[in-house]
Amino acid sequence: MKEGKSAKLNHQQQQQQQQQHQNGHLSPFKFAKLVDPEASWDKDQLGDVLHWIRQVVAIVCGLLSGAIPLVGGIWIVVFLAISSAIIYGYYAIILKVDEEDFGGHGALLQEGLFASVTLFLLAWILVYSLAHF
Amino acid sequence: MASTIFSASKYSDSLTVVGISICTAIICESISWLLIYRTTSYKTLRSSIDKASKKLESMKTTSNPNLIAKKSSKTKKIDRFESSLKESNRDLSLFKFKSGAVVALVLFVVFGLLNSLFEGKAVAKLPFVPVRIIQKMSHRGLHGHDATDCSMAFLYFLCSISIRTNLQKFLGFSPPRGAPGGGLFPMPDPKTS
């Protein structure tokens, strides 16, 4: 009975993934899955979630850094460390995924990395320039 | 009240650069959608790359070391899938390249416009001193020796990368993970930008 239920669940998940790929963007996404360690993840889905988490962290850190303001290149390194720690904490501790199934720690940690750095710099520079001069 | 505050700021031109970058990104993605993403060829290629990538992954991860006899035929299958994937990626790149020329022209015109508007003018203030190699872009065309003065070129570069990458991601236009050009520094899809 339990096997039948999980097979049906897998089939439904596969259908959802197919629709997602056909549409080319995220289909209706259950946000409860974001904090469910029992949920199964497709590589693309997990990659997208990690990407967007990084972007949100970048915007928040950029806005805060510009507002305080924080000055000096060291804060770029601090941002990298903080955002990577958040991403690692999310997939390793909250989701408890096996990173080997998704290409290793490197593949997961680099999702959205460059875009997040540029977004952080953009937010930081804009807020700093507009608020303090 | 916010607009009054920002227009009084010494560096309010930075908002103009950001605004133009956002509009440019939307225009470029619209052109890419018209010329590339809505075509059947692109959808077919994209779908075949996704399927081949997934098949390849599952074949590489599910391997039974006891079945030595079947190993060589499996290796051949993997090689076949890999070469098929490479071919599809090549076709995808070629397909996008032809249509990317129009987008490149739009970007060239916009950059020229921004250059003429803000040449020699610092549009923002950097909260850090960039390394020498970055200063070539961040201090491009500016007078004086203050390395924290930010030129339009650097701000436009940051806007382009961050806004267009995320816009492509949001719209589902970013290249498939099986395609080359990812890695540590994935740029917005160069063939469409």
Side-chain angles (χ1 to χ4, degrees), chain A residues 71-74 76 124, chain B residues 125-132 134-135 138 145-149 154:
Chain A
V71 177
I74 189 69
I76 301 170
W124 187 19
Chain B
K125 195 75 172 167
L126 299 176
F128 57 92
V129 175
V131 294
R132 278 239 176 259
I134 304 289
Q135 277 184 36
S138 69
H145 301 288
D146 187 354
T148 58
D149 283 337
F154 186 59

Side-chain angles (χ1 to χ4, degrees), chain A residues 21-22, chain B residues 41-53 176:
Chain A
H21 290 304
Q22 280 167 7
Chain B
S41 322
Y42 173 79
K43 286 178 186 171
T44 314
L45 271 173
R46 173 87 190 236
S47 167
S48 68
I49 288 172
D50 285 338
K51 279 181 195 162
S53 301

Side-chain angles (χ1 to χ4, degrees), chain A residues 43 47 50 91 99 102-112, chain B residues 177 183:
Chain A
K43 191 177 182 180
L50 296 181
Y91 73 74
E99 67 278 358
F102 298 94
H105 288 296
L108 291 175
L109 287 172
Q110 77 180 24
E111 284 289 342
Chain B
R177 282 187 170 84

Side-chain angles (χ1 to χ4, degrees), chain B:
Chain B
M1 186 181 168
S3 60
T4 318
I5 293 168
F6 287 141
S7 62
S9 169
K10 187 179 171 187
Y11 296 110
S12 56
D13 287 331
S14 58
L15 294 175
T16 309
V17 175
V18 173
I20 291 175
S21 296
I22 292 172
C23 294
T24 308
I26 293 171
I27 290 169
C28 288
E29 291 311 307
S30 304
I31 293 172
S32 300
W33 180 78
L34 268 169
L35 298 179
I36 303 171
Y37 300 126
R38 67 172 188 159
T39 60
T40 325
S41 322
Y42 173 79
K43 286 178 186 171
T44 314
L45 271 173
R46 173 87 190 236
S47 167
S48 68
I49 288 172
D50 285 338
K51 279 181 195 162
S53 301
K54 284 187 171 30
K55 186 81 185 170
L56 204 59
E57 256 181 64
S58 64
M59 283 172 78
K60 279 179 178 174
T61 51
T62 57
S63 59
N64 191 341
N66 294 327
L67 297 171
I68 299 166
K70 292 192 177 179
K71 195 181 175 187
S72 62
S73 66
K74 190 165 186 186
T75 312
K76 281 181 188 169
K77 263 190 180 174
I78 289 174
D79 287 342
R80 214 171 40 238
F81 267 105
E82 274 179 350
S83 58
S84 156
L85 187 63
K86 274 182 199 163
E87 226 174 86
S88 301
N89 281 323
R90 200 184 56 228
D91 292 341
L92 187 72
S93 294
L94 201 62
F95 183 74
K96 285 182 174 180
F97 182 77
K98 293 174 196 171
S99 313
V102 178
V103 172
L105 183 67
V106 170
L107 291 171
F108 185 75
V109 167
V110 169
F111 187 80
L113 170 74
L114 284 172
N115 211 29
S116 64
L117 283 173
F118 301 112
E119 192 172 5
K121 195 177 176 187
V123 297
K125 195 75 172 167
L126 299 176
F128 57 92
V129 175
V131 294
R132 278 239 176 259
I133 195 164
I134 304 289
Q135 277 184 36
K136 290 191 190 310
M137 194 194 311
S138 69
H139 210 260
R140 185 174 174 273
L142 297 181
H143 309 295
H145 301 288
D146 187 354
T148 58
D149 283 337
C150 180
S151 70
M152 176 280 302
F154 186 59
L155 195 66
Y156 183 64
F157 168 76
L158 291 177
C159 290
S160 296
I161 303 295
S162 55
I163 295 170
R164 274 199 270 133
T165 305
N166 286 309
L167 187 61
Q168 283 182 355
K169 194 81 174 174
F170 181 72
L171 296 173
F173 295 163
S174 46
R177 282 187 170 84
L184 201 59
F185 297 109
M187 305 289 274
D189 199 354
K191 300 297 183 295
T192 61
S193 50

